[in-house]
Amino acid sequence: MASIHGLDTYLVNLNNNLDANPLVNIFYRLRTKKELRIKVQDLISYIESKNITNIYLSNAEGYVSNNIIFFLRKKFPSIKFIALQHGLFPLIHSRYKESLRKIINQFGYLISGIFVLGEGFGGIKLNKYYVYSDRERNFLIDKKGWDMENVEVNIRFIKAELYNRFLKNKNIQNEKTALFLLQGLSIVGLCSKQNELFLIESTIKYLSKTYKELLIKEHPSCEGRLETMNLPQNTKIVSSINEGFEKSKTAYSFFSSSLIDAKVYNIKTVGIYSERINVDEEIYENFDKKINFEDIIDS
């Protein structure tokens, strides 16, 4: 995307320290605050060496982003900050949680000089936010208090490479071919590894019986999980997500943001909800259809 738009890239290379226990997260973050401040200073030095007027943020939600944006704005008040939606968010607004988050962050900054929590989707008012759809735009305006002119639906900018490839695509998408996009659910603590493997295997069996051909794209962080499974004959693992998009008319996943990518190709998107996964059901509003694993697949 950066290359297409002629943008330089800078990788901060810090970990959000995501743990299932929020207190453990805070402890990790306080312990590594020195590394965070060093990375911020490195970024400041980089900006000072360039004639930079706009900064596009691939993440404006987490605690790393919260600190970086805060310190950069103090140092460079004239620079414009544009956030790019990265991933899907349950669009639920809670004044109680927002107030508690601010209190914890203010206390954390007072004792350590850093914010220990992120601000969530749209929590930091920036110059612009490019989002996937009207759903996110309306949420930022109605619930987060953003000005209308500062929120823009611009998936072609965010997914520039994918959109350009779609325009050049000459393959014929087949109604009888489906794409199953895997996720790394267990590695981020959304379910156990055992449950995840059960969900994957059961879904593959179900989809392989429903469609003439099933294409599967593994998640980059969890490749190799299918090696222990006895896959149906009409199942194929694809190395490129674009190959799956170019041949399929329907894409399935539990709630992967790659289903948003599929919409660029005019593919029907189906989110698979399961009680085994710790995720807010509201997120399934992003997709064309939602099916219940326990009611449809497991039965």
Side-chain angles (χ1 to χ4, degrees):
M1 181 211 73
S3 176
I4 290 170
H5 297 306
L7 305 176
D8 290 334
T9 57
Y10 186 94
L11 179 64
V12 178
N13 199 23
L14 277 167
N15 193 329
N16 264 317
N17 295 314
L18 294 173
D19 189 275
N21 187 326
L23 294 178
V24 173
N25 278 338
I26 292 174
F27 171 75
Y28 283 152
R29 292 166 184 179
L30 290 173
R31 193 177 65 179
T32 58
K33 67 175 183 177
K34 183 178 179 180
E35 181 185 1
L36 172 63
R37 295 301 293 265
I38 290 172
K39 294 288 188 179
V40 170
Q41 189 55 52
D42 289 344
L43 179 52
I44 288 174
S45 298
Y46 174 80
I47 293 171
E48 288 177 332
S49 70
K50 304 274 187 177
N51 185 25
I52 292 176
T53 56
N54 295 334
I55 293 179
Y56 293 86
L57 303 159
S58 66
N59 182 315
E61 292 78 37
Y63 108 96
V64 169
S65 302
N66 193 9
N67 285 282
I68 286 176
I69 293 169
F70 175 78
F71 291 117
L72 291 188
R73 281 176 133 181
K74 287 181 65 175
K75 184 69 176 178
F76 308 106
S78 63
I79 286 180
K80 291 184 178 180
F81 292 84
I82 302 101
L84 308 175
Q85 184 174 346
H86 182 85
L88 301 178
F89 307 97
L91 304 184
I92 299 174
H93 181 66
S94 168
R95 290 184 179 180
Y96 167 75
K97 288 184 178 179
E98 294 292 330
S99 299
L100 181 60
R101 189 204 306 261
K102 292 187 183 301
I103 291 171
I104 294 173
N105 265 336
Q106 288 171 359
F107 182 70
Y109 185 79
L110 184 66
I111 64 171
S112 69
I114 67 166
F115 301 111
V116 294
L117 299 176
E119 289 294 336
F121 179 57
I124 305 173
K125 302 291 194 311
L126 302 170
N127 300 95
K128 277 278 187 180
Y129 209 131
Y130 291 172
V131 297
Y132 293 157
S133 68
D134 285 331
R135 178 175 173 270
E136 290 86 3
R137 182 176 186 271
N138 294 338
F139 175 79
L140 293 181
I141 295 169
D142 298 338
K143 300 297 184 181
K144 290 290 188 173
W146 281 65
D147 291 333
M148 292 179 63
E149 62 269 20
N150 292 343
V151 187
E152 183 178 324
V153 177
N154 202 338
I155 195 169
R156 292 184 182 180
F157 185 97
I158 304 170
K159 305 289 185 182
E161 181 181 7
L162 194 66
Y163 185 71
N164 285 353
R165 180 152 180 162
F166 163 69
L167 294 177
K168 298 175 183 177
N169 177 39
K170 295 181 180 180
N171 290 312
I172 299 174
Q173 294 167 308
N174 194 329
E175 293 278 0
K176 297 180 180 180
T177 299
L179 174 64
F180 181 31
L181 299 161
L182 303 190
Q183 292 173 254
L185 300 174
S186 58
I187 62 174
V188 292
L190 296 178
C191 73
S192 69
K193 188 174 181 179
Q194 181 180 6
N195 270 336
E196 182 172 20
L197 292 174
F198 173 73
L199 290 167
I200 292 172
E201 191 165 13
S202 300
T203 302
I204 289 173
K205 288 180 180 178
Y206 170 79
L207 293 177
S208 67
K209 293 178 181 178
T210 307
Y211 293 88
K212 184 176 180 179
E213 182 181 32
L214 174 63
L215 306 179
I216 305 175
K217 175 63 177 72
E218 294 188 277
H219 192 276
S221 64
C222 308
E223 290 181 343
R225 289 183 297 183
L226 303 181
E227 293 176 358
T228 59
M229 298 182 188
N230 186 20
L231 298 177
Q233 287 188 342
N234 64 336
T235 301
K236 177 186 176 183
I237 300 173
V238 294
S239 58
S240 166
I241 195 171
N242 293 304
E243 181 183 350
F245 289 157
E246 291 168 0
K247 295 180 178 179
S248 311
K249 287 296 289 182
T250 309
Y252 291 79
S253 188
F254 297 107
F255 57 93
S256 172
S257 60
S258 293
L259 289 180
I260 300 300
D261 298 350
K263 289 189 176 185
V264 175
Y265 274 78
N266 298 321
I267 295 173
K268 180 181 178 181
T269 58
V270 184
I272 305 168
Y273 172 77
S274 172
E275 60 190 28
R276 293 172 169 83
I277 305 173
N278 182 24
V279 63
D280 198 303
E281 281 193 68
E282 198 275 342
I283 207 167
Y284 290 87
E285 296 295 322
N286 286 283
F287 313 129
D288 298 320
K289 184 179 179 180
K290 167 192 166 189
I291 62 173
N292 188 294
F293 176 87
E294 280 73 25
D295 291 345
I296 297 176
I297 297 176
D298 195 28
S299 64

